[in-house]
Each structure stands twice: as C-alpha cells, then as structure tokens.
Amino acid sequence: MNEIKRLSPEAEARLNQGLLGLWYPVLPSWAVQGTPVGITRLSRNIAIWRDADGAVHAIEDRCPHRGARLSLGWNLGDRVACWYHGIEVRGDGVVASVPAVQGCPLEGQKALPAYAAKEIEGAIFLYFPIADEPPPPLDLPEEMTSDAYSRMLCTAHWKCNWRYAVDNVMDPMHGAYLHAQSHSMAEGDKQAEFRTRKTQTGLVFEKTGQMGVNFDWVEFGNSGAIWLRLSIPYRRKFGPGGPFTIVGFVTPVTETSCRVFFWRIRKVQGWQRHVWRFLYRTRLEGLHWQVLEQDRVVLEDMAPRAREQEYLYQHDVGMSRVRRILEQEAARQVAHA
Ligand code: FES
Ligand SMILES: [Fe+2]
C-alpha cells in the first residue's frame, strides 16, 4: 500500500519549505502593533508592519544596503527605516530614501520582494507567489466566512516539518487513541473502516460506520490556501451550537518547524454566541490546549526520517492521497521554475 515514488531533490526541498502560489496565515493580527515584526515563513525572512490606517505591509526582511534585518528598524507608516544606516524602504519593496548619501542610485529602485497581505478573522494572511503573478482570490470554507458561525483562533509553533502536521489532521483515527482521555474524543469505536470522497477543492476522508461520535471525518481543500476541516461532536454540557468545527492551516516556518492556525467554530448566534464564547474562554480553551499539546508532543518527537520508514495501513489512505497531491504540486512548481 505504501507506494514510494521518489521526488526530485528540488521538489522535495520545495515541499519541505512550503508550496508557493498560495495564501498562508502567518501571524495573529494582534502580533503586529506599532513596531515592525520580523518573522520566518516558508524559510524566508519577512518584515511586517502596519501603516497609520492599520493596513499591513510585508517585504523581505533584509536591508538592501548591507543586509541588516529591516524589522529591527523604525515604522514610518508606508515605509520602514533601517536601524543600521537609515535606508527607507516602502511596502512595495522600493527604496524611498538613502539619507546618508546624496543622490544615491539605490533610491527609487525596487530592491526587495513584497507580499500581498489580507486580514481574515484575526489573522494576517500573505500570498507567496510562484513567479511574480498577482494573488488569486482566497475562498475559504463557509464556517470561516459566514455570520452564522462564531470563531476563535488558536495558533501555536510546532518544532516539526509542516507536512507532519498536515498528516496528523488527515488521520482521524488518532482521535480515539492519542486523545482518548480528552473531553471531546473519549467515545466511539477503536476500529473503523474509511473511504475517500472527492470534493471540488480536494477530498473528504471519512469513517464508513460511525459519524458524529468522535473525530470521524476530515476534509482537505485547496482554494487559494490549503486548509483542513473537521468536526467533533460536543456533549450537551459544553453549551449551545452543536458540533465543534475546526478549520486549520499549517504554515511552514523552516524545514523543521511550522505554525499551526486552528479556528475553533460553532454555529451560534445571539445569546447562544455569548454563552459559547464565555464557555470557550473560561473552560473549553484550556481543554483544547491539552488536546493540542498531545499532538505537539507526538509530532515533535517522531523518529528521524519517519516518513521514509513507514508501514501504512487502510487508515492512512486519506493522508497518502493528500501527500500525493502535495508532491505532484511540488514537482509541477519546480518543473516550471
Ligand atoms: S544595512 Fe541598512 S542602511 Fe545599512
Ligand atoms: Fe490530534
């Protein structure tokens, strides 16, 4: 069952660093306030700041003069100024001023790549182009966009390659084992049969015999961003809104680390929304962190080169399909490079 078809080293590197041509959440919105922030995503250093209107700007975090990190410098609104010798670079990557020298030819040059930015539901998304193409629209699942739902963002840094974090979500069966002691996944069969079903944007991987008891299905989609969706039933004592939906994103940081973004969602309005948000903040969020920590502990300590020495079985078919989709995309991207 474990089909091994080797990717070229270039495609493997592209996949490990992160596929391009996609939007990725990179930071929660609250993390960018007055001063520029330096981050690494998809193995690139990026400087992010807000202008006076609150709009987000993102450029490569490297001063075109001698390479100091621009994120260490000053926020001048539409520009940042390098701390080292004062060069000012605009949000589109063009050098606005070289204050130490008169008439420096660097002024007016586009010196750095810039990233298109959007803010959605409390997170900053950046577009990582393949070449220089304009960003495509970003169509997220309705739980992320419709007013009928109430969303809470949870984000964490994990010291594992992003592909393992995607594998983990594409693997519903771990709910009944790894999270067996949790508030939401203590019930249901310890064995299951699965099937895959195609969707417009990807696929659903679901149990054939059990629905609405545990982590019983998961969906992979690519619609401008790669997202994962799943739902977990909630017992009545956890308040109004029925099942608990999670829409998740995994953003590569380096080849050995990633940042996960999970929106925790319920279909609640009016007073029920207040009840759910209150319950979440006071009680459920802590319980969910315990669950997420179980995932993190396992994923950060997988065997070296785990993926190359696996024995996969029927429960791993959904994960294998998604791996194949991602591998094909990586191969396509490096072939066009
Ligand atoms: S390194 Fe930035 S101005 Fe010199
Ligand atoms: Fe998990």
Side-chain angles (χ1 to χ4, degrees), residues 35 45 85 212-213 219 320:
T35 49
N45 291 343
H85 319 93
V213 181
E219 179 178 358
S320 299

Side-chain angles (χ1 to χ4, degrees), residues 7-57:
L7 278 183
S8 70
E10 296 78 30
E12 186 76 26
R14 169 64 57 89
L15 196 48
N16 284 335
Q17 288 178 12
L19 294 172
L20 302 176
L22 292 166
W23 290 93
Y24 287 96
V26 296
L27 277 176
S29 294
W30 57 258
V32 184
Q33 307 272 346
T35 49
V37 176
I39 58 172
T40 302
R41 298 291 183 270
L42 283 75
S43 296
R44 301 165 180 208
N45 291 343
I46 300 170
I48 302 192
W49 73 97
R50 286 183 193 279
D51 63 26
D53 299 326
V56 172
H57 301 276

Side-chain angles (χ1 to χ4, degrees), residues 83-100:
W83 193 22
Y84 210 5
H85 319 93
I87 280 190
E88 296 173 15
V89 188
R90 293 197 320 231
D92 58 4
V94 172
V95 176
S97 160
V98 182

